[in-house]
Amino acid sequence: MTTGGTQDAEHAIKASLEAARWAPSVHNSQPWSFAVSGEEISLRADPDRKLRVSDSAGRELLISCGAALFNIRTALRSEGYEPVVRVLPDPDRPSLLATVRLAPAPAVDDQARVLAREFERRRTHRAGFANLPVPAALIASLARHAAEEGAELTVIASSEAVRVLAALTQAAQVVQSQDRRFSLDVIRWARPPGSTRADGVPAGAYPRKEAAGDPEFPQRDYAWRHDWGGPAQGGPTTTGLVALLTTGGDERAEWIAAGQALQSVLLRAAAHGVSAAFHTQALEMFHLREFLRQELCSGRYPQMIMRLGVALDDKEAVRRPLGDMLE
């Protein structure tokens, strides 16, 4: 194996687990745990961190864990190893989502090293974007890499379709904000100012007053009747490019694949200065998600609604220490 400056397998495993903990997750719930046996890593779902109402089936949990799996794979390749992955290897252990075994690689993966630099720098955006274009060539590249992971990334070019997505997001947000059960799912992961928690959404990670967009894609109400949030982004803002991530099926394996595709897209976008904002409200309501599948997704299953653009601010990010995630 050509190591290209990498150290031993133990170092590579630790690096991959450190990378995994920086993966994005719904409400920054970080719903995963890891175990190591020799040169094999096990990725497990943490059911105590699942959204009990808005994600009762665990779809968003598995997408989150899929993103962590992509980080593990990428970190190992950047360290000079080839990850041998088995997804859902044991039907009798549903919480065991994947195993990753280290194998020799012919050379260090230079592209993986580029992506690895973005593990900690990537941020989820929760406001409008600067009025700067996203290159069409970058979008085409992101779509190709999403397809390599088993998902389809489609930028919504029709202004009418964008307005439909915005309207469905608004409708879901209103309904969920009036439903105490949905609200508790969000409140559980809202961090008040000064909180020392290492999970959830920090109060400074979203603007105190959301700027109106055209069309408007509302953000989650993490402040929940409090005057939380950071200052609004200065200057004019835009919606950015609206995109859908879809899969052909809608089972656990496809959800994990969607998470890997999502993180592949996010890291590559971040390397070019492009951030993403997520809007999953409509996807958490069966009838709205089914409407999207039939009317806008050509029968494919929508796994993520996102906006892509250039964000000029840099919000804080928090993660639990690795020791809390190891079994």
Side-chain angles (χ1 to χ4, degrees), residues 2 18 20 22 43-44 48 74 86 92-93 107-108 127-128 145 153 158 163 195 214 242 258 261 299 325-327:
T2 300
E18 285 286 348
W22 285 98
L43 167 64
R44 300 172 183 173
D48 291 337
T74 302
R86 295 178 63 206
D92 294 327
R93 300 167 65 192
V108 172
H145 288 291
L153 179 72
S158 163
R163 291 188 178 279
S195 171
D214 184 24
V242 178
M325 303 177 182
L326 291 174
E327 295 185 2

Side-chain angles (χ1 to χ4, degrees), residues 56-303:
S56 58
R59 184 183 65 86
E60 291 179 288
L61 182 152
L62 264 63
I63 289 175
S64 303
C65 290
L69 177 58
F70 185 85
N71 276 13
I72 290 173
R73 292 168 49 208
T74 302
L76 289 176
R77 287 186 172 129
S78 74
E79 294 286 340
Y81 291 87
E82 179 60 29
V84 179
V85 180
R86 295 178 63 206
V87 174
L88 301 175
D90 188 347
D92 294 327
R93 300 167 65 192
S95 291
L96 178 60
L97 303 183
T99 59
V100 185
R101 181 172 53 82
L102 276 63
V108 172
D109 188 325
D110 289 334
Q111 185 180 71
R113 282 189 163 179
V114 172
L115 298 184
R117 298 190 190 109
E118 305 302 325
F119 289 149
E120 297 185 38
R121 295 199 300 219
R122 182 214 60 82
R123 294 287 186 272
T124 297
H125 193 58
R126 295 182 175 88
F129 291 108
N131 191 18
L132 295 170
V134 177
L138 173 60
I139 294 300
S141 173
L142 298 181
R144 288 195 300 272
H145 288 291
E148 290 175 359
E149 302 297 333
E152 184 175 291
L153 179 72
T154 304
V155 170
I156 307 303
S158 163
S159 60
E160 290 81 5
V162 168
R163 291 188 178 279
V164 169
L165 283 169
L168 291 174
T169 302
Q170 292 175 36
Q173 175 69 17
V174 170
V175 170
Q176 291 180 358
S177 66
Q178 300 301 312
D179 188 320
R180 180 174 175 80
R181 300 171 308 148
F182 276 98
S183 295
L184 288 175
D185 261 355
V186 175
I187 295 167
R188 180 187 177 195
W189 301 106
R191 294 176 63 229
S195 171
T196 58
R197 282 179 55 184
D199 57 9
V201 179
Y206 48 87
R208 182 173 293 110
K209 184 177 181 181
E210 188 174 350
D214 184 24
E216 181 180 357
F217 280 82
Q219 296 293 323
R220 302 280 191 178
D221 184 16
Y222 291 104
W224 195 68
R225 305 174 187 173
H226 295 88
D227 187 28
W228 298 349
Q233 181 175 318
T237 61
T238 68
T239 299
L241 295 179
V242 178
L244 284 167
L245 187 75
T246 63
T247 55
D250 200 36
E251 301 296 331
R252 285 161 53 86
E254 283 84 13
W255 299 343
I256 295 172
Q260 295 189 82
L262 176 64
Q263 184 65 343
S264 178
V265 166
L266 296 180
L267 292 177
R268 288 179 167 85
H272 289 81
V274 173
S275 300
F278 305 124
H279 301 277
T280 58
Q281 297 96 317
L283 303 183
E284 294 168 353
M285 308 187 74
F286 170 78
H287 297 295
L288 295 184
R289 185 171 182 241
E290 185 63 15
F291 175 86
L292 281 172
R293 184 179 77 84
Q294 295 183 19
E295 301 299 332
L296 291 184
C297 299
S298 302
R300 292 177 62 85
Y301 292 90
Q303 306 294 353

